[in-house]
Amino acid sequence: MEDLREIAETFRRFAEFECPELSRLYETLSRGIADDPEVLAIAAKRRAGQPAPNVFFAAVHSLLIKRPSHPVASFYPDLAACDIPADDPYDAFRSFCLDEQDRIIDMISVRRVQTNVVRRSSLMLPAFLRAMDRLDDEQVVLVEVGASAGLNLFWDRYGYDYGDGLCWGDRASPVQLKTAALGERRPLLPERTFNLAGRIGVDLNPVDIRDDDAVSWLRALVWPERGDEAELLQRAIELACSNPPRLIAGDAMDVLPGVFDSLPPHVVPFIFHSHTLNQFPADARERFVELVDCYGSNRDLAMISLESRQSQNNSELDLTTYINGVRTREHLAQCDSHGYRIKWLVG
Ligand SMILES: C[S@@+](CC[C@H](N)C(=O)[O-])C[C@H]1O[C@@H](n2cnc3c(N)ncnc32)[C@H](O)[C@@H]1O
C-alpha cells in the first residue's frame, strides 16, 4: 500500500493551500487526519490517481447528508440545524470515520473527484463575449473539455451580477451568479444575442444529471461552507434537466478529433475548459494545445481557458482566437477558483 507519510503530506498541503478562505472545517479536519494513521489508512484506499482529501471528505459528507441529525453533521455548516458547536470536531469526526470505514471505502475506491462549479461561468462569460466580438456574427458551437455534468455549457441561460450595476443575461433565470469585479478595469459585457448551433461536452466520465446517485455525489463534493454553491448546483441541474447537454465519454485527446471533424465548416467552435488540464498528464496538455493549433490553422475558432497555474485556489483566464489562421492569445483575468472574484486585466 502507498506510504501513509505521503498521504499525510497531501492532507497537510490541502489544509495549508486549498482550504484557507474556503473551508475552515476541512482545514481543521485535514490537520487532524494528517497525524492519524488509522484514518489515513482508510483514505489510502481511494481509487488510484484521485486526490485523497477531496474524495475522502466527499464520501464522509455524502453519508452525513443522508443523516443530518448525526452529531458530526452539527459541525457541517450546510447541514447543522443550529449553531456549530465550539468544540474541536476532530474526535467525533474520526470516530464516525472508523465506524463507517467500510462504507467510506466502498465509495472512495470507485468514485472520482468531479466537481461542476456553476459560478465558473461568471469567470468565463466575459471571455465568451470577447470571442464573439472577435468572431462577429458567426454560428457558434460550444465544446467543453472536462465538462463533468456539463452545467457550464448553459452559461448563456444564467443571470450575472458583478457589482456596481455591472450585470448581464437573464434576470429571470433560476441561476443567478454573483461575482465581485476587483481592480481598476471592468470586463466589457455587451448585451448581445448569438447564434448557437450546439453544446457538446467531453469528459472521461460524464455525469448524467438524470441519475440521482451521480447527482448526490456531485452534491457531496461541494464543500460544507459552500451552501450557496450547492444551491446553484441544484438550480442549474433543474434548468438543464429538461434538455440535458450532449456529453461524450472518453479521453479528450481521443474524442476531440472526431468532434472537430463532425462540425459543419460554417460553425465556429468555442472550445473551453475549466480546472481540467491539471488532470491531464503533462504530455497530453502539450498535445491538446497542438491539436487546437492544428484545427485553428484550418478554421476560425476560439479557445477559453480557465485553469490554475500556481495554487488550486486561483485561476487564470485566457482567450485564444484563430481567425484566418492567425492565432492571438490574450491573458484576460486573474480569478479565484470558485467564481467569487475576477480581476480583469485588459482594455
Ligand atoms: C475538476 S473537474 C472540472 C469540471 C468543470 N470543468 C468545472 O469547472 O466545473 C475536471 C473534469 O475533467 C475531466 N477530465 C480529466 N481528464 C480528462 C481527459 N483526459 N479527458 C476528458 N475529461 C477529463 C474529469 O473527469 C472531470 O470531470
Side-chain angles (χ1 to χ4, degrees):
M1 198 202 293
E2 189 179 357
D3 188 342
L4 290 190
R5 278 172 305 190
E6 271 176 39
I7 305 186
E9 203 38 48
T10 321
F11 276 94
R12 265 186 213 106
R13 281 199 306 274
F14 186 75
E16 189 173 350
F17 297 112
E18 296 192 36
C19 294
E21 289 185 44
L22 292 175
S23 178
R24 283 190 61 185
L25 179 66
Y26 283 178
E27 187 176 346
T28 307
L29 297 177
S30 293
R31 293 192 200 285
I33 294 170
D35 292 326
D36 189 335
E38 278 181 279
V39 177
L40 284 171
I42 303 173
K45 297 197 173 131
R46 75 203 183 284
R47 183 188 176 109
Q50 295 301 302
N54 306 64
V55 75
F56 180 77
F57 282 128
V60 176
H61 197 197
S62 111
L63 295 176
L64 292 171
I65 288 170
K66 292 184 191 119
R67 290 161 68 189
S69 56
H70 191 284
V72 174
S74 66
F75 292 103
Y76 280 64
D78 59 337
L79 305 178
C82 13
D83 288 348
I84 312 254
D87 330 359
D88 184 336
Y90 192 68
D91 284 346
F93 175 83
R94 87 178 293 274
S95 307
F96 182 77
C97 295
L98 296 178
D99 290 347
E100 296 290 341
Q101 57 183 296
D102 291 345
R103 296 169 75 196
I104 294 173
I105 292 167
D106 280 351
M107 278 187 267
I108 66 176
S109 55
V110 293
R111 298 286 194 180
R112 302 167 197 249
V113 176
Q114 276 193 286
T115 46
N116 202 180
V117 180
V118 177
R119 200 184 269 98
R120 287 183 187 143
S121 281
S122 260
L123 306 179
M124 292 186 281
L125 170 76
F128 286 122
L129 297 176
R130 195 173 180 92
M132 272 166 206
D133 231 44
R134 301 273 187 273
L135 292 148
D136 210 15
D137 288 335
E138 302 281 5
Q139 237 194 345
V140 167
V141 63
L142 299 173
V143 180
E144 183 174 10
V145 179
S148 180
L151 299 173
N152 288 321
L153 280 162
F154 293 99
W155 58 267
D156 56 308
R157 297 205 188 148
Y158 303 155
Y160 297 85
D161 181 349
Y162 297 85
D164 294 332
L166 189 61
C167 296
W168 192 88
D170 181 358
R171 286 179 186 219
S173 168
V175 180
Q176 294 295 323
L177 305 177
K178 275 192 165 206
T179 295
L182 307 179
E184 310 265 294
R185 298 178 187 270
R186 292 288 170 268
L188 288 178
L189 304 176
E191 281 299 338
R192 57 175 299 159
T193 52
F194 66 102
N195 202 347
L196 187 62
R199 308 172 199 267
I200 303 170
V202 176
D203 201 287
L204 275 180
N205 181 44
V207 178
D208 183 349
I209 53 176
R210 292 158 303 183
D211 173 348
D212 291 344
D213 184 50
V215 167
S216 302
W217 180 248
L218 263 189
R219 162 75 184 89
L221 283 163
V222 178
W223 292 10
E225 283 85 350
R226 306 268 69 89
D228 57 329
E229 227 168 75
E231 167 89 25
L232 282 175
L233 179 69
Q234 184 56 36
R235 286 168 177 257
I237 288 172
E238 283 165 15
L239 186 148
C241 241
S242 57
N243 188 15
R246 179 177 165 217
L247 299 179
I248 304 173
D251 188 313
M253 294 311 298
D254 299 331
V255 172
L256 281 174
V259 170
F260 290 150
D261 290 343
S262 70
L263 299 175
H266 63 278
V267 304
V268 177
F270 276 22
I271 303 155
F272 67 102
H273 50 88
S274 60
H275 291 265
T276 290
L277 291 200
N278 61 328
Q279 298 191 3
F280 282 28
D283 68 308
R285 277 199 289 271
E286 278 171 29
R287 282 188 290 119
F288 172 70
V289 174
E290 283 164 16
L291 180 73
V292 176
D293 268 351
C294 174
Y295 278 89
S297 62
N298 294 314
R299 70 188 298 163
D300 288 357
L301 63 84
M303 183 168 69
I304 287 113
S305 163
L306 180 71
E307 296 288 341
S308 55
R309 287 196 196 131
Q310 283 160 356
S311 97
Q312 285 298 316
N313 279 353
N314 290 303
S315 43
E316 309 285 336
L317 179 69
D318 297 286
L319 168 66
T320 311
T321 51
Y322 299 78
I323 302 175
N324 299 325
V326 178
R327 177 186 195 268
T328 310
R329 182 161 185 265
E330 296 172 284
H331 179 37
L332 299 182
Q334 291 168 334
C335 317
D336 73 310
S337 59
H338 284 239
Y340 292 101
R341 292 184 296 276
I342 182 166
K343 184 177 177 194
W344 192 251
L345 300 172
V346 294

